[in-house]
Each structure stands twice: as structure tokens, then as C-alpha cells.
Amino acid sequence: MAAELVEAKNMVMSFRVSDLQMLLGFVGRSKSGLKHELVTRALQLVQFDCSPELFKKIKELYETRYAKKNSEPVPQPHRPLDPLTMHSTYDRAGAVPRTPLSGPNIDYPVLYGKYLNGLGRLPAKTLKPEVRLVKLPFFNMLDELLKPTELVPQSNEKLQESPCIFALTPRQVELIRNSRELQPGVKAVQVVLRICYSDTSCPQEDQYPPNIAVKVNHSYCSVPGYYPSNKPGVEPKRPCRPINLTHLMYLSSATNRITVTWGNYGKSYSVALYLVRQLTSSELLQRLKTIGVKHPELCKALVKEKLRLDPDSEIATTGVRVSLICPLVKMRLSVPCRAETCAHLQCFDAVFYLQMNEKKPTWMCPVCDKPAPYDQLIIDGLLSKILSECEDADEIEYLVDGSWCPIRAEKERSCSPQGPILVLGTSDANGLLPAPSINGSSTMGGTGGSSGSVSGTENGKPGADVVDLTLDSSSSSEEEEEEEEEEEEEDEEGPRPKRRCPFQKGLVPAC
């Protein structure tokens, strides 16, 4: 077994770049990179992911390359095996002398092959669709370290463990070490673990299985917790994001062991490993400003199309109002943005939208509450121009011809401390009744009535009725009772002197 492993390594070491690319493409690994990176990747396949199919492919490529007889010994490689390449106790097998292959019908054993589920074979080369994960705007994929692989339970236990062993290439290690820090201890280039449902119908979003735990080498990695729910009866949700494993990995060519613990409750999940570069909201905003600006003329044509007369409609739309205030933060727009799939002209601020999705990715339009992913966002060039030209208005109106006009809010009228006088009926030329005399009678001969109303005559004609709006119902009812008592007393004792009205007769405040 060890001898056959060494022979496979020697054959791989003698391959050219084209042979290495064919071998890596056969198993679905990345074919990009320099020759020494391809050799390292192929040797890792032989060491950790070997299978009868892989051995047959190596032999086929080798025989095609050299076209020699099976009885001839395997040629020596151009350079000795680098002990840092494999980093495994199995490298001691290199001391075993190399022997020729026994024949074309050799039964290739499974040598140390461990996929994520401990399976010692590669998936069959079939046309079966593969699991795909959705593209995340804040992560640029650099390399695929492990293709989406299904978590297969190995027993009837509810709690399952699935191990995975892999090593980083020198180039990948340098990318991580030389990347900048997003925050102390967090590199921009990361090795992330992603988990999703094993559904091949469409790209899948990240979804964690129950009871998930991730162990990297000898330490457990933290997994995002649950969001608390403020609504009664609603279970808390867990934000399923890529899990950053970089800080727990060996940043060298040494092998790393990752163990995923998960709950087996009937649903099927797949896991994948990627080397990614994490981006910030500022970087995404700059990219959007570079490639996502829609020309003002195109936006103007869209406005005309929205306001175009519909012959089937009984209502003609002559204009549409658009607010210059962001619905997210209630502040004036700085970078007006919306999704191309949205049917409205109202925009939201791209700066705050990207910052919110960086913390809690939902990618939902705050105007229509429909999906607004990053790759569908556009910056409205027309509204950007309007914002620079119209600084004293918070709302505009688009007209049928594509033009616009600002809508300025009217200032609220303030009520003066002394309210205006409300006069009911007609009186003198100024609309005011004559001022009363000291004894309460009108200077023109009017007679006082109740405290709520005053009536008088001028030149034999009835005067205007003045109503005091400041009196409430309770005070008027009390005064009515007092008047009734006075009338009864007048019947018995005779008329009493009139009481003075606290207000000027004929003048009533309106507020």
C-alpha cells in the first residue's frame, strides 16, 4: 500500500502542467496557478483524497505522457519530495523502494482517503447537478478549497461528526499573511466555511443545521448566535453567515483538520470551504459609484414612461412626487439608489443601505419591501443632479415631459396672543359694535342681555349679535340657572340692578 502511494507521487511529480491540470480538473479542483502550486495540490489529492478512480487517472495520464511498457520501472522525479509539502506521518513511506506497477488490472486500494464524511472515494463522474451557494456581495471568492459536499450521517445517532483534512498552498498562505486587517485580529483574506441545504434546483443561501459546532484543529470556532425576537410567539432567528476559520488555522503548509458537529434530524446539508477576500461597505459603495450609475437621460426617459397616458385608465397622471429624504434614516439623500427591479421612482441612500446590510444582510428595499440585491442596485443620475441643484426643498414633483419642480412646504401660521374679534351680523362701517358705557348700557341706547350674548338697536334697527366663544358649556349653564333665580326674585321683590359683563359688549375673541 505504501509502495503504491509512493509510485503515484512519483508519477505526479513527473507530470507537466497540462497533465496536472487534467488531473485536477478530473476531481473538480482549481486548475489555476504556477506549476509548483499545481504539483502541491495534486500531491495532496494523492495523500489525502486517493481512490481507485484517482489512481487509474494518474496511471492513464502517465502512460499517455511517456507511452512506456508496464514492466519498465517508474522514472525518478526531477526533484525529491519536499517534506513540507505533505506534512503527514505517512511521508515515512517515502523510504520504501519504488517498484514497477504490477499490471493494468491492479486493484488500487483506498489509501488514507478521507473526505468530509470519512468516505474513502471520490464522487462518481456523473452529470448529476451540484449544490451551488449564492454569491455574497461582501465576499470575493479567491479559491475553492472544498466543493459543496453533503453531510452524510455515519450512524443512527442524532449528533454526527464529519471531519475534513486539507492544507493551504504557499500562495494562499502569503495571501492571508499579506492582507490588511479589517479590525484587530481579523484579516481581509479568510478561509470560511459555508453550510447550506443540499438542494440543486437553485443557488442556496447559507443555512446552519441544528446543534452545529465547528472545531478547527484543537479549538472550537464561534458560530453566530440567535437574534432576539420582540414579537410574541416568534422564534428567534440565527443569522447564517460564512464562518471565519482563519484565526484558528495553521498558516503554513501544514495540514488543518476541521470537524463539523451537526444534528441529524432528517434534512440534508452540504458544506464547502473557500478562500475569500472580505469587503467593506465603503468598498462596495465605491464599486457601485464606478459601475452602477444610471445616466440622467435614461432616468428621465423612465419618468416619462411612468407618466405616459394610459388609454385604458380613466385617471390621467400629471405628475409624481418624490421625496428627497431617505426612508431609512430620515435624512436628506446623498447617494440616491434603488434596485432596477423596483417599480417606484423613490430612492434610498446607498451609504446607509450598504452599512445596514454589512451588519445584518437582508437586501430588502425599504420602499417597497421587495428584494434589492447588490448586483441590481443603480444610482439615479437624474436625482443626483436634482439634489445638487435643489438644496432648499425636501420634495420634488416629476412632470409628464420629464421635467421637475421643487415642492416647498408652507410656513405654519402662528396664532397671535390676542385673538381676532369675531362679529356676527352687521353694525357700523368698521364692523365693530359701539363700546359700552360704564353702567353697562350701550352708548347708542342698547340694552344688556345675558352674559353670553348682547343685543342692541341703532337708529331703530336691531344691532348685531356677538357671541363669546371662550365660554364653555358649564359656565353658560350655571349663568342660566342664576338668571332664572333672578327672574323669580324680580317677580317677588321687583327688578334688581344689572350685573356688569366681564367682557366688552360687542367684542369677542375668536381664539
Side-chain angles (χ1 to χ4, degrees):
M1 180 182 296
E4 292 167 351
L5 176 63
V6 174
E7 287 185 90
K9 290 180 182 178
N10 292 336
M11 286 189 287
V12 169
M13 293 294 294
S14 65
F15 283 171
R16 291 183 176 180
V17 173
S18 58
D19 302 324
L20 294 170
Q21 290 177 341
M22 291 183 63
L23 177 62
L24 294 172
F26 173 73
V27 295
R29 296 294 182 90
S30 174
K31 300 183 291 183
S32 61
L34 302 177
K35 182 178 180 180
H36 74 275
E37 297 176 350
L38 300 178
V39 172
T40 303
R41 211 172 297 157
L43 289 175
Q44 289 175 354
L45 283 174
V46 175
Q47 184 71 29
F48 302 110
D49 299 331
C50 58
S51 68
E53 293 85 356
L54 180 63
F55 272 85
K56 290 179 182 179
K57 186 63 177 179
I58 293 175
K59 180 186 175 184
E60 177 185 340
L61 291 173
Y62 176 76
E63 291 178 346
T64 304
R65 173 76 180 83
Y66 290 98
K68 293 185 178 182
K69 297 180 180 180
N70 293 332
S71 60
E72 295 183 2
V74 177
Q76 297 291 334
H78 297 300
R79 58 184 176 88
L81 286 176
D82 185 1
L84 297 178
T85 302
M86 304 310 300
H87 287 278
S88 173
T89 55
Y90 301 119
D91 282 339
R92 300 174 184 173
V96 179
R98 301 178 180 87
T99 57
L101 299 177
S102 58
N105 297 326
I106 183 172
D107 184 16
Y108 294 99
V110 177
L111 303 178
Y112 321 117
K114 290 189 177 180
Y115 254 15
L116 193 65
N117 307 307
L119 302 179
R121 59 181 178 81
L122 291 175
K125 193 78 172 179
T126 61
L127 297 177
K128 181 181 178 180
E130 297 180 347
V131 176
R132 297 168 295 159
L133 287 102
V134 296
K135 183 180 179 181
L136 301 178
F138 286 99
F139 295 92
N140 276 350
M141 189 178 73
L142 304 179
D143 281 325
E144 187 178 54
L145 305 177
L146 176 68
K147 299 184 70 174
T149 307
E150 186 176 354
L151 291 172
V152 180
Q154 303 298 308
S155 63
N156 295 327
E157 298 293 332
K158 291 299 181 182
L159 207 59
Q160 300 285 330
E161 285 190 356
S162 298
C164 172
I165 300 175
F166 74 99
L168 297 172
T169 64
R171 170 181 164 273
Q172 295 167 348
V173 172
E174 288 301 315
L175 284 175
I176 296 174
R177 286 178 174 172
N178 297 333
S179 65
R180 63 186 180 90
E181 288 190 347
L182 300 176
Q183 51 183 298
V186 180
K187 292 283 189 178
V189 178
Q190 306 167 1
V191 175
V192 296
L193 174 71
R194 298 185 65 182
I195 309 178
C196 66
Y197 289 130
S198 297
D199 186 359
T200 60
S201 60
C202 61
Q204 298 295 304
E205 296 183 350
D206 293 66
Q207 185 67 45
Y208 296 158
N211 303 331
I212 181 177
V214 180
K215 186 176 182 180
V216 181
N217 296 322
H218 303 289
S219 303
Y220 280 96
C221 182
S222 60
V223 179
Y226 288 89
Y227 284 141
S229 177
N230 298 326
K231 299 180 180 179
V234 178
E235 296 183 358
K237 296 184 65 176
R238 166 178 274 176
C240 298
R241 304 177 182 174
I243 304 173
N244 185 8
L245 312 177
T246 316
H247 61 290
L248 298 177
M249 296 184 60
Y250 300 138
L251 292 184
S252 63
S253 51
T255 57
N256 293 275
R257 181 182 180 89
I258 299 175
T259 304
V260 179
T261 304
W262 51 285
N264 179 24
Y265 293 96
K267 291 186 178 180
S268 179
Y269 295 86
S270 294
V271 300
L273 286 172
Y274 300 101
L275 183 71
V276 300
R277 186 188 303 276
Q278 186 175 353
L279 305 177
T280 63
S281 58
S282 301
E283 292 173 316
L284 288 186
L285 178 63
Q286 189 60 39
R287 181 186 297 179
L288 185 62
K289 289 181 177 180
T290 305
I291 63 175
V293 180
K294 194 167 186 178
H295 196 273
E297 291 300 324
L298 296 177
C299 298
K300 188 175 181 179
L302 179 62
V303 173
K304 292 180 179 180
E305 179 65 23
K306 292 282 185 184
L307 297 177
R308 185 173 57 87
L309 179 62
D310 186 3
D312 298 332
S313 177
E314 298 179 356
I315 302 175
T317 305
T318 59
V320 58
R321 290 190 174 189
V322 172
S323 175
L324 304 183
I325 303 299
C326 175
L328 284 172
V329 291
K330 307 305 178 184
M331 295 173 59
R332 187 176 174 87
L333 292 169
S334 60
V335 184
C337 170
R338 66 173 179 271
E340 281 191 304
T341 54
C342 291
H344 50 79
L345 297 175
Q346 179 65 52
C347 291
F348 48 86
D349 200 302
V351 177
F352 298 106
Y353 184 71
L354 294 176
Q355 289 177 357
M356 293 176 65
N357 282 281
E358 184 178 17
K359 296 180 180 179
K360 183 181 178 182
T362 57
W363 301 105
M364 300 296 291
C365 176
V367 179
C368 61
D369 203 26
K370 293 182 180 179
Y374 176 78
D375 55 358
Q376 294 180 359
L377 296 181
I378 57 104
I379 295 178
D380 192 318
L382 177 59
L383 199 57
S384 299
K385 184 179 179 181
I386 293 174
L387 285 168
S388 62
E389 297 177 358
C390 181
E391 298 181 355
D392 58 344
D394 293 335
E395 191 176 13
I396 64 158
E397 182 177 5
Y398 286 124
L399 303 179
V400 178
D401 59 353
S403 61
W404 62 275
C405 62
I407 299 176
R408 295 178 175 87
E410 297 182 359
K411 295 183 179 179
E412 296 182 359
R413 297 180 179 178
S414 59
C415 182
S416 59
Q418 183 178 359
I421 297 173
L422 177 64
V423 179
L424 302 180
T426 59
S427 182
D428 59 356
N430 297 327
L432 300 176
L433 291 179
S437 63
I438 297 177
N439 59 4
S441 61
S442 172
T443 57
M444 298 300 294
T447 59
S450 66
S451 61
S453 63
V454 180
S455 62
T457 59
E458 184 179 356
N459 297 328
K461 296 181 181 181
D465 294 334
V466 180
V467 181
D468 186 358
L469 301 181
T470 60
L471 299 180
D472 56 5
S473 59
S474 60
S475 62
S476 60
S477 60
E478 291 177 358
E479 292 180 358
E480 289 178 358
E481 293 176 358
E482 292 179 358
E483 291 176 357
E484 292 176 358
E485 293 177 358
E486 290 177 357
E487 291 177 356
E488 293 176 358
E489 291 177 357
E490 287 179 0
D491 295 339
E492 297 176 358
E493 302 178 0
R496 290 189 177 186
K498 301 283 185 179
R499 291 193 304 170
R500 180 175 297 177
C501 180
F503 299 97
Q504 283 188 336
K505 297 181 179 181
L507 306 180
V508 181
C511 64

